[in-house]
Amino acid sequence: MPPEPSTSYAAAIAPALLDPTRAVPTVVIGPNGKATEKRFGVYRNNVTVSLIEALAAIYAAVLRITGNDFFRAMARFYIRSSPPRSPLLFEYGRDFPAFIKRYEYAQSLPWLADVARVERAWLDAYHAADAVPLAPHALARIAPERLASLVFAAHPATRLVRSPYSAVTIFAANRSAEPVGRIDASTPEDALITRPDVEVVVRQLPPGGAIFISCLMAGCPLGEAAAMALKQAPTFDIAANIAGLIEAGAFTSIAPATFGDGR
Amino acid sequence: MTIAIRLDAPATMPLRFSPPIGGLAGTSFKHEHLAAILAEGPQRGFFEVHAENYMGAGGAPHRALEAMRRDHPLSLHGVCMSIGGPRALDRTHLARFRGLVARYQPALVSEHLAWSTHETGFFNDLLPLPYTAATFQHVCDHIDEVQETIRRPILLENPSTYVAFATSTMSETDFIRSVADRTGCGLLLDINNVFVTATNHGFAALEYLADFPLSRVGEIHLAGHAEQSDDEGDPLLIDSHDGPVADAVWKLFEIVIQRRGPVPTLIEWDSSIPDWPVLKAEAARAQAILDRAHAAAVSDDRHAA
Ligand SMILES: [Fe+2]
C-alpha cells in the first residue's frame, strides 16, 4: 500500500525550515486562500531564532566579545551547517568552537575558539553527574612509599582545556558583568574546570599542571604523572599541585595501581 | 524494546506523595526565581518545568527541581517527544522521560500535539500536522507508547498554528476528542493557543471551545502572545509566552472554568521573564477565578442537598 500523502508532511516541511531559499512547502495552506509566506515564516523564524538563543546562552562570553550582530550572523551560518541532532539543547553546539576556528570573519580573533571551548566545558561540567569529591586529607592516610603508585578517578565534571592563548583570562573577564580592560591574549593558558558540588569553578593551571592532570585523568599513577610534569616544567611543585587538584574537587577516589597493566 | 531503562531515585529525593493539585494555579518554574521562591517558603500553587531541561545527569538543575518538588506539586511538560510526527518515537528520549517521571513523581505529565524531529534533525519548535486518518493512527500509537512506558496517562496539549493543510479531513477538536477517546489520555487545554489559532485561521475561539471535550481537560495553560501581520496585512498572533495573559484570554478562561469547574491552571511565561512577584501576581489572578468557581460549586452542592 503506498503511503497516504499526509504521511509526507514532515518530509515536505523539514528541509524548508532552515533554508530560506526554498519555497514554502505546498502541503501547507492559509485559511480562505490566504498566502503562506509570512505564516510559514513564523516557523522558520522560531526554529532559527530559538537555536541562536540556545547558542547565545551556552557561549555567553563569545557573544559579549563579538557583539550581538556578529554573533547572530555567525550562529546562523553554523545552524545551517550543523543543525541539532538531539532534542537536548544543552548538548547542541559541541562543534561550534571548531566552526569558530574556521569562520572567515573570526580569523582576527584567533583565541575566540578556545574561549568557546572553555564555555562548552563549563556547561558540560554544570550538567555532569553528581559525585562526592575526594576528601582534602585523603592523601594523609597513605604511606609515603605508596604515593607514587596511586591512581586517581576523575570527578564526572572535571574538564581540561589547553590554549596557546589567554583563553581563561578572556573567558573570566567576559562572563562577568564588569567592564573588560585590555588583555594580552598571547600568554598560553590551561583551564581546569571542576564542579565539586553545584557551582562550576574554572581555574588556571600552573606550568606543567595540564600535563599532570591529563596524565592522572588518563589513569597514570601519580609518580608517572609527576615525572611528565617535571619534564615539561622543572619548577613543577608536585605537593602543591596534587593538593590543589584535590581541593578543586577534580577527583572522586584514589586506589593503588593494579599490577600487570604494563606500568 | 532494547533500551535499558534506569529508574533513578537518589537518596536526596525522598519519595513522597505529591501534594494535591486540584483547583490550583501554578507558574512555569525558572531558575532565576529559585531564590525568591525558596525565601517565601512553601506556598499554595504548583510549578511546571520543561522535561528536556532536566535531562542532564546531575548538577544545579536537579538540585533546584528537588527543592521545588519537596513542597509543591510538580507538572512535567514534555516539549520534544514529536508525538505528531510520522516517524517512530525516539526510544532514548522516551527512556529519559520515563526516568524523570519515576524520579520526580509529578502530579501532571503532558506533551504536545505537534512534531519537532524528522529523520535525524531536531527543529526545536512545535510544528503542525494535518488531521487525517493516517496521522490519527500514528498520534494514537505514539501516545499509547508513551503511556505504556511511563505507566500513566498523559495530558495532550492543543497547538497554536499559523498554517493549515489541504489534506486535513477532520477538525482539530474532532481529532483531539477522538485521540482522547482512543488512547485514554487527558487533555491540556491551552486557552491562549485556542485564541491564537482561532484568530490566525479566522474562526471564533468560543466555537472551538464549544466543540472541545472539556470533561477530559486535566490542566489549562494561559500565556501571553505577540501580534504580527500576515501577507494580507491581517493580524497574525504569535504564541510567544513573553508577556502577560491578554484580556480576551482571561475572559475565555472564566467561561471555561464556569463550564468545567476548577482545573489546575498554569501561567506559562518562557521568555522576557519578569521578576517573581509579577509572575506570582498573574497566577494569583487565575487562582481567584478558580477559587470563585470552587465556592460556587460548593454552594450548589449545599442547595442540591
Ligand atoms: Fe501551552
Side-chain angles (χ1 to χ4, degrees):
Chain A
M1 193 178 77
E4 282 184 55
S6 62
T7 58
S8 60
Y9 59 95
I13 290 172
L17 289 168
L18 283 172
D19 185 352
T21 65
R22 283 186 189 245
V24 174
T26 53
V27 291
V28 304
I29 58 171
N32 311 312
K34 282 181 158 232
T36 51
E37 204 61 44
K38 284 196 171 176
R39 291 168 176 273
F40 190 73
V42 176
Y43 296 107
R44 282 178 157 153
N45 188 62
N46 284 350
V47 172
T48 300
V49 170
S50 71
L51 294 177
I52 292 174
E53 302 293 341
L55 291 172
I58 299 171
Y59 298 101
V62 173
L63 167 63
R64 188 171 171 194
I65 291 162
T66 62
N68 201 43
D69 293 349
F70 184 105
F71 185 91
R72 296 182 90 84
M74 179 165 72
R76 208 175 280 268
F77 278 117
Y78 170 74
I79 288 161
R80 280 193 202 128
S81 70
S82 304
R85 303 267 169 242
S86 162
L88 305 187
L89 282 182
F90 57 80
E91 295 287 346
Y92 185 44
R94 240 165 237 299
D95 53 352
F96 191 51
F99 177 87
I100 293 173
K101 210 178 180 76
R102 293 192 309 268
Y103 186 60
E104 193 186 335
Y105 304 100
Q107 296 307 308
S108 60
L109 311 171
W111 35 266
L112 191 62
D114 287 351
V115 174
R117 285 165 62 221
V118 177
E119 297 204 277
R120 181 66 244 182
W122 187 99
L123 189 69
D124 287 338
Y126 179 82
H127 284 291
D130 297 321
V132 179
L134 191 62
H137 52 268
L139 287 189
R141 291 169 306 159
I142 310 284
E145 68 275 13
R146 292 181 50 220
L147 284 174
S149 67
L150 287 180
V151 291
F152 290 71
H155 189 285
T158 304
R159 300 286 185 282
L160 173 67
V161 176
R162 306 200 60 183
S163 172
Y165 304 102
S166 315
V168 188
T169 305
I170 299 170
F171 161 85
N174 286 284
R175 291 273 280 218
S176 82
E178 304 297 309
V180 180
R182 278 205 73 79
I183 297 171
D184 170 15
S186 66
T187 315
E189 289 182 352
D190 300 319
L192 173 71
I193 297 105
T194 56
R195 201 202 79 212
D197 186 33
V198 287
E199 292 290 327
V200 178
V201 184
V202 179
R203 285 177 174 76
Q204 200 182 312
L205 288 167
I211 193 102
F212 183 59
I213 187 165
S214 66
C215 279
L216 290 175
M217 287 175 79
C220 305
L222 182 56
E224 201 175 301
M228 296 284 283
L230 279 167
K231 206 162 103 191
Q232 198 189 59
T235 59
F236 185 75
D237 182 338
I238 300 163
N241 268 272
I242 193 66
L245 291 176
I246 291 174
E247 194 197 304
F251 307 114
T252 53
S253 63
I254 41 176
T258 46
F259 290 109
D261 63 356
R263 294 202 177 101
Chain B
M1 215 158 94
T2 53
I3 270 207
I5 291 168
R6 287 187 308 131
L7 297 178
D8 292 320
T12 50
M13 182 65 209
L15 296 180
R16 262 206 203 177
F17 288 113
S18 177
I21 196 167
L24 276 191
T27 61
S28 306
F29 169 57
K30 302 294 167 194
H31 280 230
E32 47 265 60
H33 295 151
L34 177 67
I37 294 168
L38 292 180
E40 285 180 358
Q43 45 203 284
R44 188 172 174 224
F46 73 96
F47 293 95
E48 184 163 290
V49 295
H50 288 178
E52 288 71 15
N53 292 342
Y54 298 88
M55 289 183 175
H62 288 287
R63 209 65 72 83
L65 195 53
E66 283 166 6
M68 300 309 299
R69 167 65 179 81
R70 214 159 277 140
D71 296 312
H72 304 95
L74 181 71
S75 170
L76 188 69
H77 191 45
V79 185
C80 307
M81 193 65 77
S82 244
I83 280 174
R87 293 284 183 263
L89 296 184
D90 175 347
R91 297 275 162 84
T92 311
H93 189 71
L94 187 52
R96 289 189 291 247
F97 194 71
R98 173 183 164 148
L100 278 180
V101 172
R103 177 169 178 175
Y104 290 102
Q105 301 184 27
L108 303 172
V109 179
S110 52
E111 250 292 350
H112 293 87
L113 179 58
W115 60 281
S116 54
T117 306
H118 186 63
E119 306 295 352
T120 57
F122 168 64
F123 297 102
N124 199 37
D125 192 24
L126 297 166
L127 297 161
L129 58 145
Y131 301 129
T132 67
T135 59
F136 174 74
Q137 190 58 51
H138 62 239
V139 165
C140 289
D141 290 348
H142 290 164
I143 292 175
D144 283 345
E145 189 178 356
V146 174
Q147 295 186 146
E148 276 168 28
T149 304
I150 67 169
R151 302 249 153 232
R152 56 185 283 180
I154 61 166
L155 305 171
L156 183 69
E157 177 171 353
N158 59 294
S160 50
T161 58
Y162 312 99
V163 296
F165 292 86
T167 48
S168 284
T169 54
M170 49 184 131
S171 70
E172 186 170 290
T173 46
D174 283 348
F175 189 90
I176 288 174
R177 183 189 304 102
S178 306
V179 167
D181 285 347
R182 170 75 76 87
T183 64
C185 74
L187 298 174
L188 194 176
L189 173 60
D190 186 318
I191 297 178
N192 182 60
N193 287 357
V194 172
F195 186 74
V196 164
T197 301
T199 306
N200 291 348
H201 296 274
F203 59 79
L206 277 173
E207 262 169 54
Y208 183 103
L209 290 170
D211 285 343
F212 201 86
L214 288 187
S215 64
R216 306 205 74 130
V217 172
E219 184 186 350
I220 288 173
H221 273 180
L222 302 174
H225 57 252
E227 187 172 330
Q228 297 180 3
S229 56
D230 68 9
D231 290 297
E232 290 76 19
D234 295 324
L236 185 66
L237 300 187
I238 313 295
D239 178 34
S240 52
H241 296 185
D242 62 351
V245 177
D247 288 342
V249 173
W250 281 117
K251 219 60 277 98
L252 293 171
F253 174 58
E254 293 201 40
I255 292 167
V256 167
I257 293 301
Q258 265 165 29
R259 269 188 225 155
R260 170 69 179 86
V263 181
T265 298
L266 181 89
I267 306 294
E268 255 188 319
W269 202 320
D270 294 317
S271 66
S272 309
I273 295 162
D275 287 343
W276 169 240
V278 176
L279 188 52
K280 195 182 162 183
E282 281 286 274
R285 185 168 170 187
Q287 189 67 66
I289 294 167
L290 294 168
D291 288 346
R292 268 207 304 280
H294 178 72
V298 169
S299 109
D300 281 356
D301 280 356
R302 292 223 182 87
H303 291 161

